Amino acid sequence: MATLFAWALVAGRLVRWSITAPVAMTAAGVVLTVGPHPLVTVSLTTSDAERAVEIILAVLLFTDATAAPKGVVRAHRRLLARLLLVALPLTVLAGVLVGGLLFPSGRWWLVALFAVVTVAVDLAPAAELIKDSRLPSWLRGVLTVETGLNDGILAPVFLFFLAGAEAYGDSGTPSGEPLGRALDAVFWAVVAGVLVGRPGGLLLRRAWRAGWTRPSAVRLGILALPLAAYGLGILLDGSGFIAAFVAGLCFAPEARALPAHALDLVEDVGALLSLALWFVFGELVTQAFTGDFDGRVVAYAALSLTVVRVLPVLLALLGSGLRRADRLLLAWLGPRGMATIVYGLLAFNGLAPVDPHAADLVGQLMTMTVLMSLVLHGLTYGPVAARYARYAGRPDGSDPDGAG
């Protein structure tokens, strides 16, 4: 909290050097947890810690599902369909292929888990870019919607791949029926999300229009929805965080009829919980490079942030009519952040009892990918925005590289 308060005092100045809140909290986590006698010790292997991580993800996925700028989805539905229904599956496939080349063990469930953990996009490392007026508002809106829905779409895929990796373990032979349980968990999560999100939105809208409630109470009611969806999902033996995402999708249409800034509280709580997890990520950085570190992790993370993201997006945008600069910007902006951290932690805890080596490897991949993204995307968003603005300001609209 002291680190967060100190950052809040000088956030405007630090952002000039690309020192955002995630960077500051990660740095504090490294400093305060390093060494044989750290000032702070965090345990992430208990069931309580796993539940806490899932609840954070539930709030974030609910926020992502409801925070789409008005009109963006309708106005750019074809572009978003290319990014989410074409580029995203191609990105996962590219991650699987790269993982299979670098870690040729024949364990495709595990390689697929590596891919889905490391391709989830989150704008946190380059969050200031979304506020940068040098980019057109439509482009910033598309990026916001893509990164928000990206994480939720990957949630059931992650659950399925994790179940497969747990089922086959390090022996290569299946144990139990975790794949069937994963499908059941997704089904009941959808049921829970619909039961909470749709009625919750209708009741809040009607109560507001009838004058029965106040803006502050509406904000608290909205905050209760992702937590209620998570709890109901768990009670039904489903996935709590998928239930929260579905609840957000069902609630979103009703949110437009609620008072202004109705979503501010749930967004701020999500941001605060995220910063706590960024602090925990700082400890993970100190742990990732101790013991048996696999050098292939660096190559995988570098390829995941570049080739695995860029090529599928460029392929998906062929024939879209977008200018070359717009396509390149959308392809480059694939930062990894909170979703990768959460999926990585859940995968680590899930694999640790059945395959400790695989658990360590997924933890290293998650940590290296996010750490490299903090540096790569955090330090380049300023120059990228400046170059884009120079191109957009050309009176003839021509591409500075000579392309049409």
Side-chain angles (χ1 to χ4, degrees), residues 147-164:
T147 55
L149 297 182
N150 173 293
D151 302 344
I153 292 172
L154 286 175
V157 181
F158 163 77
L159 201 65
F160 188 66
F161 287 163
L162 176 59

Side-chain angles (χ1 to χ4, degrees), residues 121-146:
V121 176
D122 176 17
L123 283 175
E128 293 301 318
L129 188 65
I130 299 303
K131 306 172 187 177
D132 198 318
S133 59
R134 291 174 293 184
L135 301 184
S137 58
W138 73 265
L139 188 56
R140 286 179 278 154
V142 166
L143 284 169
T144 300
V145 175
E146 185 217 353

Side-chain angles (χ1 to χ4, degrees), residues 303-376:
L303 290 171
S304 178
L305 294 171
T306 53
V307 175
V308 170
R309 161 73 182 185
V310 172
L311 289 184
V313 173
L314 291 179
L315 285 173
L317 295 180
L318 287 175
S320 64
L322 292 180
R323 299 177 303 176
R324 183 183 179 187
D326 295 329
R327 297 197 305 269
L328 290 174
L329 186 65
L330 287 170
W332 174 248
L333 286 176
R336 312 300 202 271
M338 192 51 50
T340 295
I341 294 174
V342 173
Y343 290 151
L345 288 173
L346 294 178
F348 177 87
N349 282 346
L351 291 174
V354 295
D355 192 347
H357 175 71
D360 289 340
L361 194 55
V362 76
Q364 291 177 8
L365 286 169
M366 174 270 288
T367 304
M368 180 57 66
T369 302
V370 175
L371 186 61
M372 290 180 67
S373 182
L374 280 174
V375 176
L376 191 63

Side-chain angles (χ1 to χ4, degrees), residues 35 44 55 73 79 96 126 129 134 150 157 160 206 213 219 225 231 235 243 254 261 268 297 306 330 332 338:
L44 295 172
I55 290 172
V73 176
L79 175 57
V96 173
L129 188 65
R134 291 174 293 184
N150 173 293
V157 181
F160 188 66
R206 292 180 179 180
T213 187
R219 290 193 290 271
L225 291 180
L235 288 175
E254 306 299 332
H261 309 294
D268 288 342
V297 166
T306 53
L330 287 170
W332 174 248
M338 192 51 50

Side-chain angles (χ1 to χ4, degrees), residues 184-203:
D184 289 343
V186 172
F187 172 78
W188 289 113
V190 173
V191 171
V194 172
L195 289 177
V196 171
R198 185 63 175 168
L202 287 171
L203 290 172

Side-chain angles (χ1 to χ4, degrees), residues 190-271:
V190 173
V191 171
V194 172
L195 289 177
V196 171
R198 185 63 175 168
L202 287 171
L203 290 172
L204 282 172
R205 175 171 60 83
R206 292 180 179 180
W208 171 250
R209 287 184 173 178
W212 294 351
T213 187
R214 305 178 65 179
S216 58
V218 170
R219 290 193 290 271
L220 288 170
I222 294 174
L223 177 60
L225 291 180
L227 303 177
Y230 176 86
L232 182 59
I234 297 300
L235 288 175
L236 295 177
D237 290 329
S239 167
F241 55 82
I242 295 178
F245 178 70
V246 174
L249 292 176
C250 295
F251 171 78
E254 306 299 332
R256 302 183 182 94
L258 296 176
H261 309 294
L263 293 170
D264 285 1
L265 179 60
V266 69
E267 291 173 355
D268 288 342
V269 169

